[in-house]
């Protein structure tokens, strides 16, 4: 297989939220009113442009991320889906995911979103108790989230939800109980993230001022290990550091990123990576919503930067993505997207000590980080890429 006939994913960014969560460093903004018609037209125009950038491909996934794409009018979602299917060949089993917040208002739109073509939702539940939801600045209650999960189960073939753990004051026992509750509500997929403090967020300032403190490294590592064991025992082992699924139920769109396959991005701040000769074209759209909108209306696209990723850079990007996966990197697939076998590209002198230390495994088909390696992935990558 060559990169060019591998799957293509389409990422669509909706940058608006009802309020800004204090931990969030995504490209999300709060606005009083959004002109949905103007936004729909702009997304469709940039999609036309993306099809000129990466033509003649088969689209296997569409992912509406944000921001809060469950605030999009279902007609806008439907128009993007339809245009995508017109511009490219679409896989008969195309996966169409939409990120949703589990408020009752948004859950009331699930039927219309399913009608618009969405067949998988990912719900930002984040916690299952009132105090934690208040701390995380979420707009929904735990009961609303549980109701939204039930509504999602009725309307979509597949659903997932996210939780954030290693919260201030959270003990391993409390997280264990919350995981048990989550597993009782879960379908085929769960995303479980450790709370991290990102620069530029309100939590960054609060944390620096000592308003709250996080569980220490050992406690957080204990919760991570508990998560891996609990979920594996329940039949949803980790397939990526923070993502767990029943066999065959991984998010196909996110697998495209982790396998370093091709995707185009439309909407403010969206990134794309797609084959161009032996290299990959990297695109980034303007991140400010208004700047992006005006650029699209003026030029037909809101591209802020485009570069060619080639040679060693290609190998490094592919490694950074692939080692996140529990199965690791498929050596043949890697060679098709990054131009060389990862074991040859890295060389034995670099690999041997990491293998002996128990952080990496290599066999005839795969290069993978062990569980210990994935827990220290940044340090491992530094050693590999140095
Ligand atoms: S709803 Fe999601 S994207 Fe929006 S501010 Fe909260 S965490 Fe960020």
């Amino acid at each position: 297989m060559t990169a060019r006939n591998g799957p293509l994913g389409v990422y669509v960014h909706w940058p608006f939220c009802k309020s800004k969560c204090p931990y969030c460093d995504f490209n999300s903004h709060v606005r009083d009113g959004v002109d949905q018609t103007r936004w729909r037209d702009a997304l469709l125009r940039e999609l036309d442009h993306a099809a000129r950038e990466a033509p003649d491909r088969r689209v296997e996934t569409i992912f509406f991320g944000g921001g809060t794409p469950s605030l999009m009018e279902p007609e806008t979602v439907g128009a993007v889906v339809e245009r995508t299917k017109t511009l490219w060949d679409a896989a008969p089993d195309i996966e169409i995911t939409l990120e949703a917040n589990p408020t009752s208002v948004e859950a009331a739109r699930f039927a219309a979103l399913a009608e618009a073509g969405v067949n998988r939702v990912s719900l930002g539940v984040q916690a299952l108790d009132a105090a934690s939801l208040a701390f995380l600045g979420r707009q929904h209650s735990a009961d609303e989230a549980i109701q939204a999960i039930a509504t999602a189960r009725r309307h979509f073939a597949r659903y997932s939800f996210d939780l954030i753990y290693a919260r201030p004051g959270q003990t391993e026992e409390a997280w264990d109980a919350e995981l048990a509750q989550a597993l009782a509500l879960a379908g085929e997929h769960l995303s479980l993230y450790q709370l991290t403090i990102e620069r530029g967020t309100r939590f960054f300032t609060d944390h620096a001022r000592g308003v709250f403190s996080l569980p220490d490294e050992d406690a957080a590592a204990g919760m991570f290990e508990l998560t891996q064991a609990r979920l594996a025992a329940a039949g949803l082992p980790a397939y990526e550091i923070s993502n767990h699924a029943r066999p065959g139920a991984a998010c196909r769109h996110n697998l495209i990123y982790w396998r370093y396959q091709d995707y185009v991005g439309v909407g403010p701040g969206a990134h794309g990576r797609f084959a161009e000769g032996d290299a990959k074209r990297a695109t980034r759209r303007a991140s400010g919503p208004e700047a992006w909108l005006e650029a699209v209306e003026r030029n037909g696209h809101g591209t802020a930067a485009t570069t060619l990723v080639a040679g060693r850079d290609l190998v490094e990007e592919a490694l950074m993505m692939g080692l996140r996966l529990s199965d690791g990197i498929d050596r043949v697939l890697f060679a098709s997207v990054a131009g060389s076998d990862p074991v040859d590209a890295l060389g034995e002198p670099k690999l041997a000590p990491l293998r002996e230390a128990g952080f990496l495994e290599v066999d005839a088909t795969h290069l993978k980080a062990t569980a210990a390696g994935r827990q220290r992935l940044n340090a491992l990558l530094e050693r590999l890429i140095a």
Side-chain angles (χ1 to χ4, degrees), residues 13-30 66-69 99 101 124 126 136-139 164:
H13 192 80
W14 185 258
F16 304 114
C17 291
K18 279 196 190 130
S19 58
K20 184 80 182 175
C21 303
Y23 57 88
C24 175
D25 71 338
F26 297 150
N27 184 25
S28 65
H29 307 263
V30 180
T68 308
E99 290 180 336
N101 276 339
Q126 317 308 11
L136 294 169
R138 304 296 298 182
Q139 297 243 328
I164 296 176

Side-chain angles (χ1 to χ4, degrees), residues 125-294:
V125 171
Q126 317 308 11
L128 289 167
D129 71 277
S132 301
L133 287 169
F135 171 73
L136 294 169
R138 304 296 298 182
Q139 297 243 328
H140 58 270
S141 67
D143 281 350
E144 252 184 316
I146 291 167
Q147 287 305 320
I149 292 168
T151 310
R153 191 183 298 130
R154 276 203 305 281
H155 291 294
F156 302 104
R158 300 165 62 198
Y159 71 96
S160 175
F161 61 89
D162 299 1
L163 293 176
I164 296 176
Y165 68 97
R167 307 187 296 254
Q170 192 178 33
T171 61
E172 232 178 79
E173 293 67 38
W175 175 231
D176 197 19
E178 193 169 346
L179 271 183
Q181 202 188 346
L183 281 166
L185 298 165
E188 52 170 26
H189 191 287
L190 277 177
S191 299
L192 304 165
Y193 299 101
Q194 214 166 305
L195 178 59
T196 53
I197 304 297
E198 307 297 338
R199 194 169 281 281
T201 62
R202 204 194 79 211
F203 270 8
F204 187 84
T205 321
D206 288 355
H207 185 250
R209 280 207 203 113
V211 174
F212 65 83
S213 58
L214 295 178
D216 64 29
E217 232 175 80
D218 284 350
M223 284 188 240
F224 177 81
E225 278 155 22
L226 169 73
T227 307
Q228 307 301 303
R230 261 263 188 206
L231 272 282
L236 288 84
Y239 67 95
E240 189 266 352
I241 292 173
S242 308
N243 284 280
H244 303 256
R246 295 196 187 283
C251 172
R252 283 163 53 204
H253 186 83
N254 286 339
L255 282 179
I256 287 178
Y257 298 147
W258 295 319
R259 290 176 176 158
Y260 203 53
Q261 293 173 309
D262 288 2
Y263 56 97
V264 293
V266 299
H271 288 256
R273 288 278 187 291
F274 43 87
E276 193 174 302
D278 292 338
K280 264 193 206 284
R281 172 66 54 189
T283 59
R284 181 173 56 78
R285 314 297 186 198
S287 54
E290 290 74 24
W292 174 84
L293 188 63
E294 282 159 22

